[in-house]
Amino acid sequence: MASVGPSAASSQPALPSGPAVFKTIPYAFILPEILCGTWVWILVAATSVSLPLLQGWVMYVSLTSCIISLLLLLSYLLGLHRNSENWKVLDSLYHGTTAILYMSAAVLQANATINSEFRFDTPLNYQLNCAASFFAFLTTFLYILHAFSIYYQ
């Protein structure tokens, strides 16, 4: 006699808890998002900020995103989600919104980099701005990957 069980179409993959977070896509993207985002605000803070309005937004987005992503990672590690389907929606909305905000910050940082080249700043300041732009676009890409992969999961 065949065993009766839930069909494959109705079973949803469980949300990871504990160390399994680091082995499961898209949740494994959270730690690189935090690390790259941390590099963004460290590099921007290390420059002599010549355009405070532009780079202030970059600092705000990167710092806020790092803190919220760290809290999200901790909640996954501690299992606070309790395998709720609403948690996936919250995660997808957060990462989608953050990807949009990070894209705006990355473009503004690239603009600040271009302006710092033409202001005859020190070469170190220009290189720090270039590195901050690179990590801002990389972090944007990670947030986009996370948002789409959780959405299509």
Side-chain angles (χ1 to χ4, degrees):
M1 194 168 236
S3 64
V4 178
S7 66
S10 66
S11 66
Q12 293 290 327
L15 293 173
S17 294
V21 171
F22 300 115
K23 301 175 191 171
T24 309
I25 300 292
Y27 309 102
F29 290 132
I30 296 176
L31 190 60
E33 291 165 1
I34 293 169
L35 294 176
C36 290
T38 303
W39 272 112
V40 171
W41 63 266
I42 287 173
L43 289 167
V44 171
T47 65
S48 61
V49 178
S50 57
L51 300 165
L53 188 60
L54 299 181
Q55 291 180 305
W57 175 250
V58 175
M59 289 288 288
Y60 172 75
V61 169
S62 61
L63 190 57
T64 305
S65 300
C66 282
I67 291 170
I68 294 173
S69 293
L70 184 62
L71 292 174
L72 187 65
L73 177 64
L74 289 175
S75 64
Y76 276 121
L77 288 174
L78 298 175
L80 298 177
H81 52 75
R82 296 193 177 108
N83 219 8
S84 172
E85 189 65 28
N86 294 334
W87 199 264
K88 285 184 179 181
V89 174
L90 174 73
D91 193 354
S92 180
L93 287 175
Y94 165 70
H95 282 88
T97 304
T98 306
I100 293 168
L101 293 175
Y102 239 110
M103 179 58 80
S104 70
V107 168
L108 290 175
Q109 179 58 38
N111 185 16
T113 302
I114 292 168
N115 287 335
S116 73
E117 181 183 23
F118 295 120
R119 288 179 184 257
F120 303 108
D121 283 341
T122 63
L124 177 64
N125 193 36
Y126 176 69
Q127 292 169 353
L128 289 172
N129 277 323
C130 285
S133 296
F134 171 76
F135 279 108
F137 281 108
L138 179 64
T139 308
T140 302
F141 181 66
L142 288 170
Y143 276 105
I144 290 170
L145 278 178
H146 189 126
F148 277 116
S149 60
I150 191 96
Y151 181 74
Y152 287 115
Q153 187 180 32

